[in-house]
């Protein structure tokens, strides 16, 4: 049976015109010069639920979804942006322009009903940062790295043309700055972090210095004391961060800037002007605050990329210290994935330099050819993830590092070994296989990267138990008649980036499972390629593997089994 395909309309706007025209609530088309309409777009006015709405489409409609705007004046409403746009999830319906408009308008009407009932009021707290940003002054930005659940305190901040950067401490600011810009930040100022006991409604967002003071007094237990101490210094400008937690547990932090007013010549007024009518140093802080100009800042969280996990798991990962031994194709990818997943401290170990044969699959590209892999990767990861706690690289073999500086591998939560070296892995198995030392996750790939293995070895088990005396695995998944490119000289790449990606994901996932407390015992996982890729490698699955784990899925799979002890 063949599915019916609706033909796309020749003139979508004309069809929507015909649908709107007979409606009693229809108020006509928007003029072409209306600010809501871009070149080639169209809009319709309709009266519903006591409100006037505009339904707007752009030139690409019906391949783009209609938008709905609230017209006229209105108080702050949940899920409605500053310009009146409804935050809807109406789908794109290219085959039916009328259905697309009906759906958008229906969702807007439903939202108005929910707003009227008060059922959406909690959203002002849940999305406090978003509503603050919508009402901020355009072009004035704050970029903050403020972890949640902090008490009111003095923080560090620095200003650039890009905005004000705020951190819990000068140390945190300098670390982030060094990671991101490879330099120190000389001009660091003091700011105020005000912990709010409740997040305010948009109608209460402060517009003046005095309103900010009143908000701090009403909604914070100890923020007024911190703010007052800084105001008595009458700084030219002062970053104030308002932070709090929604009922769901979601953390928010937003920025406001207090600046001295300008005199007739455009210069900031003096301290004497700020403190007039009072003895020097005796001006009440609320009076000082009132005499400053307040700007609400568009606020971005510098650690916003880490919001996928619950806060307690984010904190656990941020404090975790992981060593990646072997920073070649596999190890470099694992290190970068762990950093992007929120692991806060990485120790990278590798004796080699990057060669041209690596750049298609190594995380460091052509710009790092000739550079040491470990220190080069440490620098690149810190630059890309400046909120990371720290990265350090050691450009020597792990066997030598254990002899020369074993303390560099102390205090670890996990070691990930991607060395592809029997001797290096044996040294790690011997050193970390003792009580009181962290587990080691060993990762390796079979010939042509048709299979990848990741085994987490806990205390009491041994990596070497799965191999013979010269390092041959006791259980192989694959066999192949296709010759492997000569490794001596390393002039070619035996596998590509796509095959490698599976191994990177397998290893990184097991590492995160351990760090998050989800893998608590010795664990062996294996990724197996699809049958087509296996055939390209002139390979097959071994009888021993099939007997131990069963026949692999022709589409590829991840399997798990007991480690060989």
């Amino acid at each position: 049976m063949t599915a019916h395909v609706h033909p796309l309309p020749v003139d979508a706007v004309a069809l929507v015109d015909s649908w709107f025209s007979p409606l009693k609530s229809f108020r006509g088309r928007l003029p072409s010069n209306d600010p809501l309409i871009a070149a080639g777009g169209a809009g319709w006015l309709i009266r519903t639920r006591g409100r006037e709405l505009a339904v707007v489409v752009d030139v690409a409609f019906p391949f783009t979804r209609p938008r709905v705007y609230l017209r006229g004046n209105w108080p702050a409403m949940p899920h409605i942006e500053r310009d009146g746009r409804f935050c809807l999830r109406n789908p794109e319906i290219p085959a039916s322009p009328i259905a697309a408009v009906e759906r958008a308008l229906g969702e807007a009407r439903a939202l108005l009903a929910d707003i009227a009932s008060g059922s959406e009021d909690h959203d002002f707290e849940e999305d406090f940062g978003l509503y603050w940003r919508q009402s901020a002054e355009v072009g004035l930005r704050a970029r903050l790295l403020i972890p949640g659940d902090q008490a009111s305190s003095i923080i560090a901040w620095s200003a650039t043309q890009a905005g004000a950067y705020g951190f819990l401490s000068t140390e945190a600011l300098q670390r982030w700055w060094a990671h991101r810009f490879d330099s120190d930040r000389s001009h660091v100022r003091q700011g105020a972090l005000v912990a709010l006991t409740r997040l305010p409604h948009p109608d209460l967002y402060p517009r003046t210095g005095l309103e900010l003071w009143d908000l701090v007094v009403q909604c914070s237990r100890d923020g007024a004391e911190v703010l007052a101490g800084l105001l008595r210094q009458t700084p030219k400008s002062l970053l104030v961060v308002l932070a709090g937690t929604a009922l769901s547990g979601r953390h928010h932090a937003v920025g406001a800037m207090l600046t001295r007013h300008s005199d007739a010549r455009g210069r900031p007024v003096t301290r004497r002007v700020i403190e007039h009518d009072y003895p020097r140093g005796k001006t009440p802080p609320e009076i000082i605050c009132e005499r400053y100009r307040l700007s609400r800042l568009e606020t971005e969280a510098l650690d916003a990329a880490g919001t996928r996990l619950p806060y307690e798991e984010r904190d656990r990962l941020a404090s975790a210290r992981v060593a990646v031994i072997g920073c070649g194709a596999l190890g470099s990818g694992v290190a970068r994935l762990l950093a992007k997943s929120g692991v806060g401290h990485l120790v990278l170990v590798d004796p080699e330099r990057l060669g041209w044969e690596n750049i298609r699959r190594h995380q460091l590209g052509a710009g790092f050819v000739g550079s040491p892999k470990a220190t080069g990767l440490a620098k690149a990861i810190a630059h890309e993830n400046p909120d990371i706690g720290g990265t350090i690289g050691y450009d020597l073999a792990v066997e030598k590092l254990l002899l020369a500086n074993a303390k560099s591998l102390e205090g670890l939560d996990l070691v990930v070994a991607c060395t592809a070296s029997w001797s290096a892995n044996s040294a790690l198995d011997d050193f970390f296989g003792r009580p009181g030392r962290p587990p080691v996750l060993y990762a390796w790939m079979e010939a042509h990267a048709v299979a990848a293995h990741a085994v987490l070895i806990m205390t009491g088990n041994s990596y070497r138990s799965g191999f013979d005396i010269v390092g041959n695995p006791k259980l192989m998944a694959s066999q192949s008649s296709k010759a492997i490119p000569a490794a001596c000289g390393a002039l070619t790449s035996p596998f590509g980036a796509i095959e490698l990606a599976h191994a990177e994901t397998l290893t990184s996932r097991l590492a995160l499972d351990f760090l998050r407390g989800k893998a608590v015992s010795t664990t062996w996982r294996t990724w197996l390629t699809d049958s087509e890729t296996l055939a390209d490698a002139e390979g097959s699955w071994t009888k021993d593997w099939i007997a131990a784990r069963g026949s692999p899925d022709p589409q590829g799979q991840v399997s798990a089994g007991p480690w060989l002890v």
Side-chain angles (χ1 to χ4, degrees):
M1 181 176 179
T2 304
H4 179 66
V5 178
H6 295 281
L8 293 175
V10 176
D11 191 342
V13 171
L15 282 175
V16 176
D17 274 334
S18 67
W19 180 77
F20 269 116
S21 294
L23 299 180
K24 292 182 179 180
S25 56
F26 181 50
R27 293 293 183 266
R29 286 276 296 268
L30 281 176
S32 59
N33 62 350
D34 190 284
L36 293 180
I37 298 179
W44 301 265
L45 287 173
I46 189 167
R47 187 79 179 175
T48 183
R49 293 193 174 277
R51 298 282 180 180
E52 188 172 69
L53 307 183
V55 181
V56 178
V57 298
D58 63 22
V59 68
F61 178 72
F63 297 100
T64 53
R65 61 173 59 87
R67 304 183 304 278
V68 182
Y69 292 84
L70 193 60
R71 303 283 282 184
N73 299 317
W74 63 91
M77 295 185 184
H79 302 294
I80 296 180
E81 298 181 7
R82 181 169 53 176
D83 62 356
R85 181 174 176 176
F86 285 69
C87 296
L88 305 176
R89 297 182 178 179
N90 54 302
E92 297 164 346
I93 311 177
S96 178
I98 292 175
V101 169
E102 281 186 303
R103 184 68 174 269
L105 197 52
E107 291 192 13
R109 285 172 52 83
L111 178 56
L112 286 175
D114 290 340
I115 291 172
S117 71
S119 64
E120 293 294 325
D121 285 352
H122 69 280
D123 192 64
F124 286 132
E125 286 198 9
E126 187 60 30
D127 286 327
F128 171 64
L130 176 61
Y131 289 107
W132 178 275
R133 188 172 183 178
Q134 290 176 1
S135 65
E137 293 189 31
V138 176
L140 299 176
R141 291 186 174 88
R143 292 172 174 169
L144 308 177
L145 188 58
I146 306 292
D149 288 336
Q150 300 293 325
S152 298
S153 63
I154 293 175
I155 60 173
W157 69 282
S158 191
T160 71
Q161 291 183 343
Y165 290 80
F167 301 81
L168 274 184
S169 65
T170 299
E171 179 186 11
L173 185 153
Q174 294 289 14
R175 180 173 59 245
W176 189 94
W177 219 270
H179 288 167
R180 183 68 186 92
F181 301 114
D182 200 24
S183 65
D184 294 331
R185 186 63 179 168
S186 58
H187 192 38
V188 179
R189 313 179 197 183
Q190 289 186 327
L193 170 62
V194 176
L196 300 176
T197 55
R198 58 183 176 88
L199 298 172
H201 187 281
D203 291 340
L204 298 178
Y205 293 172
R207 295 163 296 177
T208 66
L210 183 58
E211 288 181 357
L212 174 66
W213 178 263
D214 290 341
L215 175 67
V216 171
V217 170
Q218 295 168 16
C219 299
S220 176
R221 296 188 182 93
D222 49 8
E225 182 179 352
V226 173
L227 183 56
L230 293 170
L231 286 170
R232 289 191 181 99
Q233 303 172 30
T234 60
K236 291 182 179 179
S237 56
L238 175 64
L239 176 66
V240 180
V241 175
L242 304 175
T245 303
L247 292 176
S248 67
R250 184 179 178 188
H251 301 315
H252 293 278
V254 299
M257 186 68 71
L258 290 170
T259 54
R260 293 185 190 177
H261 287 282
S262 299
D263 60 19
R265 297 183 180 181
R267 297 174 301 185
V269 298
T270 64
R271 178 171 184 165
R272 181 179 299 175
V273 173
I274 293 291
E275 295 189 318
H276 71 84
D277 299 330
Y278 293 90
R280 182 166 183 174
K282 300 297 184 181
T283 310
E286 61 269 29
I287 299 298
I288 299 176
C289 203
E290 181 181 12
R291 292 172 178 176
Y292 273 75
R293 178 183 180 275
L294 175 74
S295 300
R296 293 201 298 260
L297 307 180
E298 294 183 18
T299 303
E300 298 173 319
L302 294 175
D303 60 346
T307 56
R308 181 181 65 86
L309 297 175
Y311 287 111
E312 60 273 15
E313 293 196 21
R314 291 173 57 187
D315 293 343
R316 183 186 300 179
L317 291 178
S319 63
R321 193 164 183 258
V322 176
V324 178
I325 314 298
C327 299
L330 177 56
S332 66
V334 170
R336 181 163 269 162
L337 284 174
L338 293 180
K340 288 184 177 296
S341 297
V343 173
H345 304 270
L346 291 175
V347 178
L348 309 177
V349 182
D350 195 296
E352 297 181 350
R353 293 176 178 268
L354 187 68
W356 282 104
E357 74 280 358
N358 291 138
I359 64 170
R360 292 282 187 180
R361 56 200 178 109
H362 198 280
Q363 293 296 312
L364 299 177
F368 283 85
V369 168
S371 300
K373 293 178 180 178
T375 51
L377 186 63
K379 183 176 181 179
I381 287 176
H383 179 75
E384 296 166 358
N385 306 275
D387 57 321
I388 197 169
T391 59
I392 185 170
Y394 293 96
D395 299 321
L396 72 166
V398 68
E399 303 96 317
K400 295 180 179 179
L401 182 63
L402 290 172
L403 292 172
N405 186 14
K407 289 186 176 180
S408 62
L409 296 180
E410 290 182 354
L412 297 170
D413 296 289
L414 177 67
V415 177
V416 181
C418 304
T419 68
S421 166
W422 173 237
S423 62
N425 286 348
S426 295
L428 291 170
D429 195 45
D430 180 69
F431 184 83
F432 288 102
R434 306 167 194 175
R437 292 183 176 172
V440 181
L441 194 168
Y442 297 88
W444 69 97
M445 292 175 286
E446 296 189 4
H448 310 292
V450 296
H453 302 272
V455 57
L456 177 68
I457 300 293
M458 307 294 285
T459 301
N461 294 120
S462 171
Y463 165 78
R464 282 175 290 183
S465 67
F467 299 82
D468 66 18
I469 194 171
V470 295
N472 295 312
K474 293 180 180 178
L475 180 59
M476 290 277 291
S478 68
Q479 57 193 4
S480 174
S481 59
K482 188 175 183 179
I484 301 174
C488 186
L491 298 178
T492 57
S493 180
F495 54 85
I498 294 176
E499 298 89 343
L500 176 65
H502 293 285
E504 293 171 344
T505 302
L506 176 83
T507 307
S508 302
R509 178 60 182 269
L510 182 52
L512 289 176
D513 282 351
F514 168 75
L515 295 172
R516 295 171 63 194
K518 298 180 181 297
V520 296
S521 60
T522 294
T523 304
W524 183 15
R525 297 178 187 170
T526 302
W527 168 80
L528 304 159
T529 193
D530 58 89
S531 57
E532 184 175 341
T533 303
L534 183 66
D536 289 341
E538 300 175 13
S540 61
W541 304 123
T542 66
K543 293 180 179 179
D544 289 343
W545 184 266
I546 293 173
R549 298 272 189 99
S551 298
D553 189 316
Q555 300 301 314
Q557 72 175 90
V558 173
S559 69
W563 182 235
L564 304 173
V565 294

